[in-house]
Amino acid sequence: MTISKNNSPIGFFDSGVGGLTVLKEVKKLLPNEDFIYFGDTLHVPYGDKTKEQLLLYSQNILKFFEEKGCKAVVMACNTTSSTIYEDIKDTYNFKLYPVVQSVAKILARIDIKRLGIFATKATINSRAYEKEISKYNDEMQVFGQYCPQWVNIVENNLTSTSESIKIIKSDLDKMLKNTPQKIVLGCTHYPYLMPILTKFAPKDLFIDPAKHLALFVKDDLEKSGLIKDNNTENFEDFYVSSGPDKFKKSAKTFYEIKDSVKIISFG
Ligand code: DGL
């Protein structure tokens, strides 16, 4: 039996639990779709890896989604979107949605002059946000800052320790010296830290690109005739490359995973 492409699943990947912040938003807009999520927990954090490593990890993951017959894959990771997306974007026969490139136009249209970006070291060093935003708006000043410990805080479920709060406050204070009018959470792990960030700054200072990315994905799938038929059952599957129980536990504040998380390695 051949399955029509529009009824095929949508893949998501990230280094760990971060991409669940994107899956959650996409699911709100497209509740009828099937989802396959992969968290590369064996290699987290991605932000400290070389471009060669990130390319290899991403190629293995995208091959896995190809074998699963996905109609689309959301690169729910700013780090791979910033560093290796351009190298692989024409390689696959499914739709590929990188977070940075998919939301840059929307960010560029916000009526402000000073935009902060919190992201990983690899994302900041790539200057991908600056480059993408300047395609649509060359008057916006972008202040990138990397937050070396934030991903580990989220992955290790340390969001309520006083040490974590101290680290996050200190990084935020440093950013606030640039007097940004908005700050993009340019790593999909960072929305987990909103309860801490909003202790020290107003909620509307922060932009989580996930909502914008979700709208972009929905709109593009609709235009491409790739929305799933309504009268079919749906599923969501979760895979990691290491520590499925830890993944489920760390995910919990953002995403309740009901079924078991499967472990898979790419040799
Ligand atoms: N959540 C990813 C991102 O958006 C990766 C973070 C990491 O593993 O360093 O960049």
Side-chain angles (χ1 to χ4, degrees), residues 144-210:
Q145 182 186 319
Y146 63 86
C147 309
Q149 297 178 70
W150 291 19
V151 168
N152 284 331
I153 290 172
V154 174
E155 284 294 323
N156 293 304
N157 208 8
L158 298 171
T159 45
S160 43
T161 70
S162 56
E163 183 58 20
S164 303
I165 296 170
K166 228 165 87 184
I167 290 166
I168 291 157
K169 182 174 185 312
S170 148
D171 288 332
L172 176 61
D173 285 344
K174 196 169 149 201
M175 170 59 89
L176 291 177
K177 290 197 179 116
N178 300 310
T179 58
Q181 292 160 287
K182 295 277 178 199
I183 303 172
V184 174
L185 301 180
C187 167
T188 53
H189 281 77
Y190 296 174
Y192 284 80
L193 302 172
M194 272 302 270
I196 303 176
L197 290 167
T198 51
K199 277 186 206 290
F200 307 109
K203 190 167 179 237
D204 68 358
L205 178 65
F206 302 100
I207 299 174
D208 175 2

Side-chain angles (χ1 to χ4, degrees), residues 14-15 18-19 44-48 76-79 120 123 151 186-189:
D14 180 44
S15 60
V44 67
Y46 271 9
D48 301 339
C77 173
N78 290 263
T79 304
T120 66
T123 300
V151 168
C187 167
T188 53
H189 281 77

Side-chain angles (χ1 to χ4, degrees), residues 72-109:
V73 174
V74 179
M75 204 180 248
C77 173
N78 290 263
T79 304
T80 52
S81 303
S82 300
T83 53
I84 61 94
Y85 168 71
E86 297 295 337
D87 296 274
I88 50 106
K89 65 181 181 191
D90 300 320
T91 313
Y92 301 92
N93 65 357
F94 44 70
K95 291 265 177 183
L96 189 55
Y97 301 114
V99 52
V100 180
Q101 293 80 352
S102 308
V103 304
K105 197 171 177 176
I106 297 158
L107 297 177
R109 288 192 178 148

